[in-house]
């Protein structure tokens, strides 16, 4: 039998495989990295402007304040290697404070996001050598020789590190350690533990933007994987898991239902949840342990005084 064009296009994509595996497990889950299709990225931008969502504006204010101190740890002609395509406000705060930087290397899976970001930075910082790398930094990769010859400073803002379990976060830091090399520094943004009410509000805002962001995962599955999830039969839920020090986002089934993805179907009980995201909130000892297992030690750190959020300066151990 001939496949339909849709079935051929879906094929055995990593997205399909991960979603099928996650929904087949006893505790249903979907990896958080799949939030970011075009609409998900747009919704995340909207989240960063919400009154309840403190991390983005807190980290920007912190970097703005401490960038001159960060700059003192950056040697002449260093390369700034950003994990994610950057060219954001945060990147510019570091570039502006550290004119001794000689190269900027953004790493991103999305080639379009990457080349747009690289062009914008190259236009505004004409003395900086901009060398984008298209690739997945959660897989093994290497820096070009010309970059590795420079002192290297990694940059991983946004508390994206908080989306990984402690074991995964250590593994990611270990891969970054291998990529950045001996003597490297690594600037990592990490959200810290704070009162539960503040955390819950940040992940369950009054306007429902975070709920829409969470549900967009089902919209994406319906569209890209030929799914038939009933969007009205799932509710957004954010919970604080104190034992694991993380905010969890779930999609809660309002009733018993069967959802189909292509030719596969999944029974979902009333009240059953699909776990869609972990956002770890760190203490300093917790972050230090994760960094040490990844081959780094904390050289220094800066913490915002409004909502606690940290920029850690790690040094290859
Ligand atoms: C982009 C991973 C830092 O965990 O706070 C925002 C994503 N999820 N609201 C976070 C997110 C729900 C965000 N990170």
């Amino acid at each position: 039998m001939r496949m339909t064009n849709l079935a051929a296009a879906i094929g055995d994509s990593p997205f399909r495989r991960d979603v099928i595996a996650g929904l087949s497990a006893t505790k249903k889950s979907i990896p958080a990295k799949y939030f970011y299709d075009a609409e998900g990225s747009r919704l995340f931008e909207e989240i960063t402007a919400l009154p309840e969502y403190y991390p983005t504006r807190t980290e920007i204010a912190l970097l703005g304040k401490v960038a001159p101190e960060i700059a003192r740890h950056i040697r002449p002609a260093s390369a700034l290697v950003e994990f994610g395509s950057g060219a954001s406000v945060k990147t510019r705060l570091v570039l502006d404070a550290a004119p001794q930087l000689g190269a900027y290397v953004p790493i991103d899976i999305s080639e379009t996001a990457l080349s747009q970001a690289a062009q914008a930075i190259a236009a505004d910082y004409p003395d900086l050598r901009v060398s984008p790398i298209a690739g997945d930094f959660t897989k093994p990769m290497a820096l070009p020789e010309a970059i590795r010859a420079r002192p290297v400073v990694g940059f991983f803002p946004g508390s994206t590190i908080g989306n990984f379990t402690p074991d995964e976060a250590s593994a990611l830091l270990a891969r970054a350690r291998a990529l950045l090399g001996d003597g490297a520094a690594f600037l990592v943004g990490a959200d810290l533990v704070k009162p539960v009410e503040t955390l819950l509000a940040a992940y369950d805002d009054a306007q429902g933007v975070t709920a829409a962001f969470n549900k967009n995962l089902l919209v994406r599955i319906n569209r890209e994987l030929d799914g038939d999830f009933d969007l009205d039969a799932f509710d957004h839920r954010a919970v604080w898991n104190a034992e694991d020090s993380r905010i969890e986002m779930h999609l809660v089934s309002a009733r018993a239902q069967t959802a189909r993805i292509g030719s596969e179907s999944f029974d979902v009980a009333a009240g059953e949840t699909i776990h869609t995201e972990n956002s770890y909130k760190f203490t300093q000892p917790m972050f230090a342990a994760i960094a040490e297992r990844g081959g780094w030690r904390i050289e220094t750190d800066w913490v915002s005084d409004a909502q606690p959020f940290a920029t850690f300066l790690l040094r290859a151990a």
Side-chain angles (χ1 to χ4, degrees):
M1 202 168 77
R2 282 181 63 233
M3 277 199 285
T4 64
N5 286 338
L6 183 59
I10 295 167
D12 195 23
S13 70
F15 180 36
R16 183 172 192 280
R17 259 178 288 147
D18 289 348
V19 168
I20 300 282
L23 295 180
S24 304
T26 320
K27 280 181 179 280
K28 292 181 170 59
S29 68
I30 299 171
K33 64 180 177 186
Y34 294 116
F35 278 133
Y36 303 93
D37 64 353
E39 177 63 3
S41 300
R42 191 195 66 73
L43 285 166
F44 177 66
E45 285 307 309
E46 213 178 297
I47 287 172
T48 64
L50 291 169
E52 298 96 330
Y53 192 77
Y54 62 85
T56 309
R57 75 176 64 89
T58 302
E59 186 179 33
I60 290 170
L62 176 65
L63 285 173
K65 182 175 153 195
V66 307
E69 289 177 47
I70 290 173
R72 285 193 227 126
H73 295 261
I74 300 179
R75 292 156 57 197
S78 290
L80 186 72
V81 178
E82 180 160 359
F83 294 77
S85 70
S88 65
V89 182
K90 297 168 195 171
T91 311
R92 288 165 185 269
L93 289 170
V94 176
L95 294 175
D96 290 344
Q100 72 272 36
L101 281 163
Y104 174 61
V105 183
I107 305 175
D108 204 282
I109 298 193
S110 159
E111 296 208 28
T112 39
L114 189 65
S115 70
Q116 275 172 18
Q119 277 175 36
I121 293 291
D124 292 346
Y125 299 84
D127 296 335
L128 202 61
R129 183 187 183 93
V130 180
S131 316
I133 301 180
D136 181 353
F137 58 71
T138 66
K139 307 268 158 64
M141 58 190 304
L143 291 180
E145 235 356 274
I147 297 298
R148 274 193 93 126
R150 297 172 178 271
V152 172
V153 183
F155 187 43
F156 191 30
S159 202
T160 304
I161 190 88
N163 275 173
F164 300 89
T165 64
D167 282 351
E168 292 166 346
S170 288
L172 191 150
L173 291 175
R175 276 188 301 266
R177 166 74 184 76
L179 177 72
L180 300 174
D182 291 342
F186 196 9
L187 279 168
V188 183
D191 196 16
L192 303 178
V193 170
K194 55 183 58 59
V196 181
E197 313 80 69
T198 308
L199 291 169
L200 290 177
Y203 291 85
D204 193 5
D205 64 280
Q207 292 167 65
V209 182
T210 309
F213 175 71
N214 199 3
K215 281 193 181 190
N216 180 59
L217 206 43
L218 300 181
V219 176
R220 182 176 184 189
I221 290 170
N222 284 352
R223 186 186 60 243
E224 294 185 23
L225 304 181
D226 183 28
D228 75 346
F229 278 93
D230 178 355
L231 304 175
D232 296 326
F234 286 90
D235 295 314
H236 168 67
R237 182 185 291 166
V239 291
W240 171 243
N241 177 335
E243 194 184 340
D244 293 326
S245 197
R246 68 192 193 200
I247 284 281
E248 298 178 1
M249 294 208 312
H250 294 262
L251 290 162
V252 188
S253 183
R255 53 174 170 79
Q257 54 183 315
T258 301
R260 187 187 48 75
I261 297 177
S263 55
E264 319 252 357
S265 53
F266 301 91
D267 294 328
V268 192
E272 186 177 355
T273 82
I274 303 173
H275 184 178
T276 51
E277 184 177 54
N278 290 322
S279 194
Y280 282 82
K281 304 302 167 186
F282 302 93
T283 61
Q284 307 214 265
M286 194 180 149
F287 192 87
I290 289 168
E292 274 162 32
R293 279 197 294 142
W296 301 90
R297 62 179 176 75
I298 298 177
E299 183 163 292
T300 186
D301 58 61
W302 297 273
V303 177
S304 59
D305 32 38
Q307 299 288 3
F309 188 104
T311 295
F312 289 97
L313 180 78
L314 307 180
R315 187 65 69 175

